[in-house]
Amino acid sequence: MKRILSGIQSTGNLQLGNYLGAIRNWVKLQNETECFLFAADLHALTVFQNPQELRHNTQEALAMYLACGISEERAALFPQSMISEHAELMWILSCHTSMGWLNRMTQFKEKAGKQRDQANAGLYTYPILMAADILLYKPDSVPVGDDQKQHVEIARDIAGAFNRAYGVEVFILPEFLGMGPATRVMSLKDGTSKMSKSDPSDASRINLKDDPDTILQKIKKAKTDSGVFPANPDETEGRPEVKNLINIYCALTEKNPEFLYQQFGGKIFSPFKESLADVCVESLRPIREKFNHLMAHQDHLNNVIGQGVLKAKTVAEKTLLEVKEIIGLYKG
Ligand code: AMP
Ligand code: TRP
């Protein structure tokens, strides 16, 4: 059986982009693959986190995976930091990663901005930890949104460099797996920037925990433009916000945009927005309910996480031992 691995930083507020770009694809893949899915709490530390909130957000992220339809029988769900092999392998891999590769990473450039010298080193070495997360489990593919493609590519480069340096095949080069029409859901306030849980404006995103009224208000206020609803794809050109709302509708309903052009083409935006709000509310309702139920039953949730940790640990431990053997670390 093929294996997949993926994770999301546990910085709170999982949003629609996380669902459409990542979690929903894991749900689709879980019947035919063995899944390792974690909450990336170590990666979250690249930005200062309130300790209580971080711990809580990590548990919430894992509960949200389950609420979105991940089956505890099919997947190992775990917090990244519970498997110390991630951090240990990261060090070893960092000795096989050139600075040139890290310097090319667009995420670092974006996040560090002009104040590079002030950025913490974790932000810079972030891709090496991500490579360790991936390579420990030898997955065939890594289902993530578009923005993570470069990180999967560097993980492949690092794996290749390590294998070549020692003349081994210990690491499998993982495939980037982008799926579906919504690998990039954009902000409700700016169609050129990604919907993100770290955007200071809550109105820019639909959180998976948002109640129906909040969702309705956010969609009503979502940015469009002074034109009317497009009647064909050509009329969406140069209108990123409009394109994004259509994309969200189609991703959630798994329908083709054609019928939207027919139903709403030439009209003002409000009827379409009402319909979109309805689709969002009804798609997220079962998720929110299941999430609330899971969070209210801590024993069960912690038990599922405990099982996931055991399963992940067994695999991670084995790979790290192989690596230590190959590179000649002391065995005692
Ligand atoms: P992050 O929230 O940055 O930790 O991302 C976790 C996962 O969700 C990754 O696979 C991302 O590619 C995906 N993701 C996050 N935001 C979006 C978005 N706006 N559109 C599509 N995928 C997203
Ligand atoms: N960097 C990813 C993100 O922000 C989260 C992540 C960390 C990840 N380690 C990973 C995703 C390993 C896939 C595989 O979305």
Side-chain angles (χ1 to χ4, degrees):
M1 197 184 237
K2 295 221 165 175
R3 182 179 287 179
I4 60 163
L5 169 132
S6 198
I8 297 182
Q9 290 188 64
S10 48
T11 44
N13 280 338
L14 260 61
Q15 40 83 16
L16 194 60
N18 295 129
Y19 177 61
L20 292 173
I23 309 175
R24 189 174 69 164
N25 297 330
W26 310 342
V27 174
K28 288 186 180 160
L29 291 164
Q30 70 181 338
N31 290 327
E32 67 223 42
T33 53
E34 188 187 9
C35 306
F36 287 85
L37 303 171
F38 61 94
D41 53 351
L42 293 174
H43 277 107
L45 293 174
T46 50
V47 175
F48 181 81
Q49 302 289 323
N50 171 301
Q52 272 93 31
E53 279 176 21
L54 176 60
R55 202 165 288 130
H56 181 72
N57 288 340
T58 300
Q59 192 195 36
E60 275 204 356
L62 297 171
M64 199 51 99
Y65 297 176
L66 291 166
C68 290
I70 292 295
S71 146
E72 61 210 58
E73 269 112 51
R74 305 224 56 102
L77 296 168
F78 60 99
Q80 179 188 31
S81 64
M82 289 287 285
I83 312 293
S84 53
E85 282 78 2
H86 290 232
E88 212 176 333
L89 180 62
M90 180 203 174
W91 171 254
I92 296 170
L93 295 181
S94 68
C95 300
H96 296 272
T97 305
S98 74
M99 303 269 284
W101 290 349
L102 294 178
N103 289 338
R104 282 203 294 273
M105 291 287 120
T106 48
Q107 183 175 292
F108 175 72
K109 287 186 205 160
E110 276 168 24
K111 293 203 174 167
K114 291 197 177 77
Q115 309 280 322
R116 268 200 188 200
D117 286 357
Q118 261 86 57
N120 68 63
L123 207 55
Y124 186 64
T125 55
Y126 182 113
I128 315 178
L129 178 58
M130 182 153 161
D133 298 337
I134 298 172
L135 299 178
L136 272 178
Y137 299 89
K138 307 188 181 183
D140 298 279
S141 55
V142 181
V144 278
D146 247 10
D147 58 330
Q148 296 299 317
K149 190 170 185 195
Q150 204 186 21
H151 286 150
V152 179
E153 279 162 7
I154 196 177
R156 290 169 62 89
D157 289 341
I158 297 172
F162 184 96
N163 285 349
R164 273 192 308 281
Y166 295 95
V168 293
E169 301 261 315
V170 63
F171 293 131
I172 295 175
L173 271 54
E175 298 290 338
F176 161 81
L177 189 58
M179 290 169 66
T183 47
R184 216 169 150 77
V185 178
M186 309 312 278
S187 155
L188 298 180
K189 292 287 170 200
D190 170 7
T192 60
S193 74
K194 203 182 69 156
M195 184 179 285
S196 161
K197 50 181 145 71
S198 55
D199 192 315
S201 160
D202 193 59
S204 70
R205 62 179 164 264
I206 308 275
N207 300 307
L208 298 181
K209 290 196 297 185
D210 280 348
D211 59 53
D213 194 47
T214 309
I215 296 176
L216 180 65
Q217 294 311 321
K218 285 181 178 175
I219 303 243
K220 268 192 184 164
K221 290 185 191 139
K223 184 172 171 202
T224 47
D225 55 32
S226 54
V228 288
F229 194 88
N232 55 55
D234 291 343
E235 291 181 15
T236 66
E237 280 320 307
R239 304 171 79 186
E241 286 83 13
V242 175
K243 250 189 192 167
N244 184 42
L245 296 182
I246 293 176
N247 193 28
I248 293 176
Y249 192 108
C250 293
L252 284 172
T253 54
E254 305 200 66
K255 282 188 183 154
N256 192 296
E258 213 42 56
F259 92 101
L260 290 177
Y261 301 137
Q262 279 173 21
Q263 196 171 337
F264 299 108
K267 296 187 184 157
I268 55 168
F269 279 101
S270 51
F272 165 71
K273 281 185 163 181
E274 271 167 37
S275 180
L276 175 62
D278 230 33
V279 163
C280 287
V281 166
E282 291 318 318
S283 310
L284 298 185
R285 187 190 302 281
I287 295 178
R288 196 179 73 253
E289 287 173 358
K290 185 153 186 216
F291 174 78
N292 290 338
H293 181 82
L294 285 159
M295 291 304 287
H297 294 81
Q298 293 276 314
D299 287 353
H300 173 70
L301 182 58
N302 291 335
N303 189 25
V304 170
I305 296 173
Q307 298 292 324
V309 167
L310 282 179
K311 194 164 166 205
K313 185 86 184 164
T314 312
V315 177
E317 219 166 37
K318 184 160 173 280
T319 307
L320 188 67
L321 272 176
E322 281 172 6
V323 169
K324 285 178 159 177
E325 175 77 30
I326 290 166
I327 62 181
L329 291 181
Y330 191 68
K331 288 198 288 189

